[in-house]
Amino acid sequence: MSNQYVFNDRLPVAPLKIAALESCTDLAKKVNDHIVNFRQNDAEELTRRHQDLQYRGYDVDSYLLDCACPRFGSGEAKGVVKESVRGTDIFVMADVTNHSLTYKMAGYVNHMSPDDHYQDLKRIIGACASTAHRINVIMPFLYESRQHKRTNRESLDCAMALEELVQMGVSNIITFDAHDPRVQNAIPLSGFDNFMPTYQFVKALFKHDKTLKIDKDHLMVISPDEGAMNRAVYLANNLGVDMGMFYKRRDYSKVINGRNPIVAHEFLGSSVEGKTVIIIDDMISSGESMLDTAKALKERKAAKVVVCCTFGLFTSGFDKFDDFYEKGYIDSVVTTNLNYRPAELFNREWYVEADMSKYIAAIINSLNHDVSIGNALSPTEKIQSLIRRYNGVE
């Protein structure tokens, strides 16, 4: 076990508890297992240094908090914490995109929406706030993050939610690949960390495809629109390859499903002929825009098209992805396990998963000890080391 998880001169700020909402239990269990593993493997070294493991809170089998949000027949709910949280450092984990969960209201079955998950998050915070030492929220998909700016007379839901969480006593909000991280300006005096999965993408890609050649002649990074430019620039610079981008021509005279329809995707960049191209973005919603981009790249004679998105929501199902894979427009789709994925997704030949659980565990472990997380925010060194190993340099 690497010493990066051993904090010899730092005690935890308080005993650690992970309050996982039902929407996030699978991911939370993996995170918990990693933290237990970190601390158990470090126990021997810390004992040798005469550290009191019980005082550190390292002598527990699980850090998961026993909590729930049961509902009445009317559909109303309450947050229940079934053990003491006095003086603890609580990390509440919630996945607001998990539409698989249901509840009954007046005999009807309703699927939980992001609004329902957000209310449950507040309920658990409300049950803990009076006695916990500190409350942190881990919300991989930031609630209402797509509504990050006002273009007309519109509500700014994400900003309001962040302000509300801070007013409830939340000290730190941790999210991943926020649609627009500038939304943190709504809470400038509070903790807000936005982590990127770039290292995990590269790791998953290298494991999945051993034929990749990391140079400008064989690889290129593509931004599907102007909003994803920062992600593409960072990845391209780390890989040492060129970057291209598409911009969307829209029909601003119409509004369909809450947005102006896309007329065409225009490409800016050097030739992609014969190259493996990596399209990187924050999410796949319906996937329409991403698939159109992939098709346009294959029509420009790209050898392979790999899609990397942090959140695979697949709101319109998998049929079109299956069709595009069979036609050769896409070769693989990489997403993380930060959000709910239906079981049938794992049977797709084109699907590759980037596991984020160890990364989250390292973040929680570091914050619980109040140590710097600067390296986690910018994992450039880890990516470079991974590339060197892949190329057989080290």
Side-chain angles (χ1 to χ4, degrees):
M1 175 60 63
S2 170
N3 283 340
Q4 64 181 312
Y5 303 118
V6 183
F7 304 113
N8 300 315
D9 56 348
R10 289 277 189 150
L11 289 173
V13 296
L16 172 63
K17 285 292 182 181
I18 300 173
L21 273 68
E22 188 180 359
S23 61
C24 211
T25 51
D26 290 342
L27 178 60
K29 286 176 182 175
K30 288 186 176 181
V31 170
N32 174 69
D33 290 344
H34 281 301
I35 296 177
V36 170
N37 192 39
F38 293 164
R39 296 186 174 187
Q40 284 180 348
N41 286 329
D42 297 342
E44 184 178 342
E45 181 173 341
L46 291 168
T47 303
R48 190 170 62 248
R49 295 169 184 264
H50 307 291
Q51 300 281 355
D52 188 337
L53 299 181
Q54 185 173 4
Y55 181 66
R56 278 179 172 265
Y58 278 17
D59 61 335
V60 298
D61 296 325
S62 174
Y63 297 95
L64 293 173
L65 181 68
D66 190 2
C67 60
C69 289
R71 288 184 180 264
F72 301 99
S74 60
E76 298 167 291
K78 61 181 177 180
V80 180
V81 174
K82 302 175 184 178
E83 58 183 281
S84 174
V85 293
R86 187 172 298 277
T88 57
D89 190 17
I90 295 180
F91 289 81
V92 189
M93 295 182 64
D95 174 15
V96 299
T97 69
N98 191 336
H99 58 272
S100 69
L101 302 180
T102 59
Y103 64 93
K104 284 190 175 181
M105 184 172 68
Y108 293 97
V109 175
N110 293 323
H111 284 263
M112 290 186 69
S113 71
D115 293 342
D116 293 317
H117 290 300
Y118 177 63
Q119 291 300 322
D120 279 356
L121 170 67
K122 292 195 296 181
R123 291 180 177 113
I124 294 299
I125 293 171
C128 299
S130 61
T131 56
H133 175 76
R134 185 175 68 175
I135 296 178
N136 313 271
V137 167
I138 298 181
M139 195 187 304
F141 187 96
L142 188 61
Y143 174 69
E144 289 288 359
S145 57
R146 300 179 77 177
Q147 183 56 18
H148 58 98
K149 62 182 178 181
R150 181 176 283 149
T151 56
N152 209 324
R153 289 181 293 276
E154 300 174 341
S155 59
L156 293 173
D157 298 58
C158 187
M160 290 191 295
L162 293 177
E163 288 182 337
E164 186 175 22
L165 291 176
V166 169
Q167 289 166 5
M168 291 183 72
V170 173
S171 299
N172 298 297
I173 297 171
I174 296 105
T175 192
F176 290 83
D177 203 353
H179 193 65
D180 188 342
R182 290 175 295 184
V183 74
Q184 66 187 288
N185 291 334
I187 50 169
L189 301 180
S190 300
F192 181 100
D193 289 305
N194 178 50
F195 295 93
M196 303 297 290
T198 314
Y199 170 73
Q200 285 75 16
F201 280 157
V202 174
K203 189 175 180 180
L205 276 173
F206 287 177
K207 184 178 179 181
H208 174 70
D209 188 351
K210 304 292 186 182
T211 67
L212 285 176
K213 294 182 179 179
I214 317 300
D215 59 49
K216 291 184 178 181
D217 295 327
H218 298 93
L219 188 64
M220 192 170 176
V221 177
I222 303 294
S223 171
D225 54 39
E226 56 273 26
M229 281 286 289
N230 287 341
R231 301 176 185 91
V233 168
Y234 181 72
L235 178 58
N237 285 343
N238 270 284
L239 295 175
V241 299
D242 291 332
M243 192 211 80
M245 71 162 284
F246 283 84
Y247 70 91
K248 299 170 183 174
R249 275 201 294 121
R250 295 181 181 271
D251 183 355
Y252 288 99
S253 66
K254 300 176 183 176
V255 177
I256 299 175
N257 293 328
R259 62 179 184 174
N260 304 110
I262 298 168
V263 177
H265 291 83
E266 305 291 352
F267 181 67
L268 299 173
S270 58
S271 173
V272 300
E273 185 174 351
K275 297 179 182 178
T276 296
V277 292
I278 301 172
I279 309 173
I280 188 165
D281 207 354
D282 60 334
M283 73 177 77
I284 295 172
S285 186
S286 67
E288 176 188 347
S289 177
M290 192 65 65
L291 291 172
D292 287 345
T293 302
K295 184 179 179 182
L297 288 166
K298 275 297 176 85
E299 288 173 349
R300 287 172 168 80
K301 299 182 180 180
K304 289 183 181 179
V305 174
V306 178
V307 176
C308 289
C309 282
T310 307
F311 303 102
L313 306 181
F314 300 102
T315 57
S316 296
F318 308 118
D319 291 344
K320 197 167 183 181
F321 282 85
D322 292 337
D323 181 49
F324 270 51
Y325 176 69
E326 289 172 6
K327 291 178 178 177
Y329 293 139
I330 58 172
D331 292 271
S332 56
V333 177
V334 185
T335 74
T336 70
N337 59 341
L338 290 172
N339 63 285
Y340 167 75
R341 289 100 52 232
E344 56 266 31
L345 176 61
F346 300 103
N347 299 325
R348 264 57 187 189
E349 291 181 5
W350 45 262
Y351 180 65
V352 180
E353 184 169 280
D355 185 13
M356 299 292 291
S357 58
K358 189 174 183 180
Y359 192 22
I360 297 174
I363 293 167
I364 291 175
N365 202 31
S366 297
L367 289 174
N368 183 234
H369 286 82
D370 255 358
V371 299
S372 172
I373 54 175
N375 290 336
L377 282 167
S378 181
T380 304
E381 187 176 327
K382 291 177 69 177
I383 295 173
Q384 291 303 314
S385 177
L386 190 64
I387 293 170
R388 288 193 296 270
R389 288 200 303 272
Y390 181 82
N391 289 330
V393 177
E394 65 175 46

